[in-house]
């Protein structure tokens, strides 16, 4: 019987299929690698800011002095990086200083008045800035979540929340037990939005309580119960990439992601 020799190569159809699969996988990998660094920087920025808040509160409690975190955050339309300064307020006059210098941009613009001695400066405890690709998400966490209340935020639960003193009315987007935290704008305690940089301050008292003011030293409209600030990466990912930092006036700090 005569044996026939079988061709051991690949057909044109098989080769085309393999090349097509490799091209698709390469495109997906490139897209993932393009977005991943953005999200990594965003997560790092949110965690860094949460850590700065916790450190400021601990410093106020340990040193028995008021500590203030000042925030100057460029919006999506502004290329400046988000900056913050953590300072000691030994004269308890930072609110008056903010009111006297409403156009401040950095710590150098805020010189303490009486009862501080002439020429005094607020002692700097910590400072930092985010990667320039990290921005405040101007529409707030509620927009990133699609303006749908979390299913666990029921009317019965709201009456049992005891994580904060004062107003507890929010938009119910954060999960329990943070349903009461406001999130209708990029920074709920700041002055600014749109093309105007967000600026504000968080005050940490020696007894562990926390309060908030805008850049002019005025408390937010919702009172001092809680606040939130939402971040997003520029150049990679949509609203689902937004991350928020939540702060209550009892000192609880949490971060949340809009990714579902």
């Amino acid at each position: 019987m005569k044996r026939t020799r079988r061709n051991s190569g690949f057909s044109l159809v098989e080769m085309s299929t393999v090349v097509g699969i490799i091209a698709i996988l390469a495109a997906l990998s490139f897209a993932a690698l393009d977005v991943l660094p953005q999200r990594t920087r965003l997560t790092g920025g949110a965690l860094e800011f949460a850590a700065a808040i916790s450190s400021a509160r601990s410093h106020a409690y340990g040193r028995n002095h008021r500590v203030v975190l000042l925030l100057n955050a460029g919006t999506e339309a502004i290329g400046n990086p988000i900056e913050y300064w953590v300072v000691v307020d030994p004269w308890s006059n930072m609110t008056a200083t903010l009111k006297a210098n409403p156009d401040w941009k950095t710590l150098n613009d805020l010189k303490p008045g009486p009862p501080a001695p002439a020429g005094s400066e607020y002692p700097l405890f910590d400072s930092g800035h985010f990667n320039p690709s990290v921005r405040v998400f101007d529409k707030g966490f509620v927009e990133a979540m699609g303006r749908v209340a979390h299913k666990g935020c029921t009317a019965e639960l709201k009456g049992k929340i005891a994580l904060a003193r004062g107003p507890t009315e929010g938009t119910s987007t954060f999960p329990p037990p943070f349903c009461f935290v406001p999130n209708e704008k990029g920074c709920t305690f700041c002055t600014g939005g749109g093309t105007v940089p967000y600026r504000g301050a968080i005050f940490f008292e020696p007894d562990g309580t926390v309060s908030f003011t805008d850049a002019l030293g005025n408390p937010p409209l919702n009172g001092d119960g809680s606040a939130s600030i939402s971040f997003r990466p520029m150049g990679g990912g949509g609203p689902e990439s937004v991350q928020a930092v939540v702060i209550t006036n009892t000192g609880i700090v949490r971060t949340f992601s809009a990714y579902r």
Side-chain angles (χ1 to χ4, degrees), residues 64-68 87-89 92-95 203-206:
N64 198 35
H65 273 304
R66 171 189 281 181
V67 173
V68 184
V87 300
V88 180
D89 183 15
S92 296
N93 64 348
M94 177 59 81
T95 300
F203 292 75
F204 305 88
E205 303 296 344

Side-chain angles (χ1 to χ4, degrees), residues 105-138:
K105 298 296 187 297
T106 70
L107 179 61
N108 294 331
D109 299 326
L110 297 172
K111 303 300 181 183
S120 298
E121 296 182 349
Y122 289 106
L124 179 64
F125 172 60
D126 188 17
S127 65
H129 61 83
F130 295 178
N131 186 283
S133 66
V134 178
R135 292 283 182 270
V136 174
F137 184 57
D138 195 53

